[in-house]
């Protein structure tokens, strides 16, 4: 019980204490059960990749897609990534899972290209745990070699917190990836805790404006102001800007009026299984009436 309380205290941050309560152990048990079934999920191939298209505002064409992980639990149904990725990170399971996502996305994108579908990059979310691995570059390069996907069709999504460490090592690492042809997007822009200096140090090609800013525009004047400032900042730094979580025509209009380049959101399509993504790629554009 003391161990459970200690675990709970650590989980809530540094310099804390907790008294044991029975609810803690049920939470701990639940976590343990989830951990066990996540291990099994990896072996039993219960994890699945969904794909969400990204659209260029000017043309209505699909210019990219993001890979989003799903866990189809036999009893609990679909478990969203926000529920199991933190657990996968704590247990180290994120490394085999992340490697599988990387391999599978490169393989799938190459397969679509070989079928004659449009050649577009696939974006993969990297966890901070993966980013800290010293063999990350080799792992990615190996996935590209083994699947035959050209590096320019792979984008890695990082978050601001991962780039807080502007060490020479990280700057060199990202530059090495750029030389290989792999590009970087900055995910959830504006939500992390960091200074902006990393924006000029790291070779980042795209800024992804977080959906929390998009949700209530144009009514929410402060978020609208943050979005238009982020678009100008990104453009001045030579980046492409993509808005996440665009659900309404109003939000779309705002993005278009403020020279945002690209959109990702339910207005066009949710993240879909590979068969549905393939159909979208065959069409190569999404509802142009919206434009
Ligand atoms: P993210 O990378 O910021 O992904 C965008 C999230 O927004 C996705 O949630 C997507 O389904 C959701 N979304 C897209 N369009 C809309 C919209 O119009 N409205 C709303 N309300 N939401 C929208 P999802 O799939 O639940 O993923 C959540 C997070 O889990 C991702 O956030 C990413 O950080 C993480 N994640 C997903 N797949 C992976 C993975 O393979 N590896 C790692 N390390 N993290 C992943
Ligand atoms: Mg992402
Ligand atoms: Mg995001």
């Amino acid at each position: 019980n003391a161990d459970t309380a200690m675990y709970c205290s650590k989980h809530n941050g540094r310099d804390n204490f907790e008294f044991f309560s029975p609810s803690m152990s049920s939470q701990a048990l639940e976590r343990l059960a989830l951990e066990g079934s996540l291990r099994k999920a990896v072996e039993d191939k219960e994890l699945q990749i969904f794909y969400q298209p990204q659209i260029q505002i000017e043309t209505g064409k699909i210019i990219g897609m993001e890979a989003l992980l799903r866990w189809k639990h036999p009893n609990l149904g679909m478990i969203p990534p926000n529920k199991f990725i933190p657990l996968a990170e704590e247990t180290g399971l994120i490394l085999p899972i992340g490697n599988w996502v990387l391999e599978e996305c490169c393989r799938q994108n190459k397969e679509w290209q070989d079928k004659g579908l449009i050649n577009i990059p696939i974006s993969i979310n990297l966890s901070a745990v993966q980013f800290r691995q010293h063999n990350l570059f080799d792992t990615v390069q190996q996935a590209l070699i083994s699947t035959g996907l050209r590096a320019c069709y792979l984008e890695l999504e990082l978050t601001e917190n991962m780039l807080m460490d502007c060490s020479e090592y990280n700057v060199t690492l990202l530059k090495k990836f750029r030389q290989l042809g792999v590009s970087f997007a900055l995910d959830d822009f504006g939500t992390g805790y960091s200074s902006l200096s990393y924006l000029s140090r790291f070779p980042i090609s795209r800024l992804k404006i977080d959906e929390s800013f998009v949700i209530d525009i144009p009514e929410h004047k402060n978020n609208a102001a943050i979005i238009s400032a982020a678009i100008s900042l990104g453009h001045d730094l030579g980046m492409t800007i993509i808005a996440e979580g665009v659900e309404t025509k109003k939000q779309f209009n705002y993005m278009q009026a403020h020279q945002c380049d690209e959109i990702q959101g339910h207005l066009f399509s949710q993240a879909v299984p590979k068969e549905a993504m393939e159909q979208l790629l065959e069409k190569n554009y999404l509802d142009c009436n919206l434009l």
Side-chain angles (χ1 to χ4, degrees), residues 222-233:
N222 289 353
N223 281 349
I226 290 172
I227 289 175
S228 62
I231 294 172
S232 335
L233 174 70

Side-chain angles (χ1 to χ4, degrees), residues 20 43 63 71 96 127 145 182 187 191-192 206 253:
F20 173 77
E43 287 159 22
I63 43 73
W71 177 9
S127 142
I145 293 170
V182 172
D187 206 358
T191 61
R206 288 213 287 184
N253 290 344

Side-chain angles (χ1 to χ4, degrees), residues 52 66-70 81-82 85 94 101 125-127 130 157 187-188 211 244-247 264-266:
Q52 188 176 34
E66 177 171 6
L68 294 160
L69 202 52
R70 300 284 179 265
N82 289 339
I85 284 183
I94 194 67
V101 170
N125 292 285
L126 270 198
S127 142
Q130 285 172 284
E157 294 194 2
D187 206 358
D188 310 336
E211 62 219 33
E244 295 193 88
V246 174
E247 293 182 354
Q264 181 180 343
H266 295 171

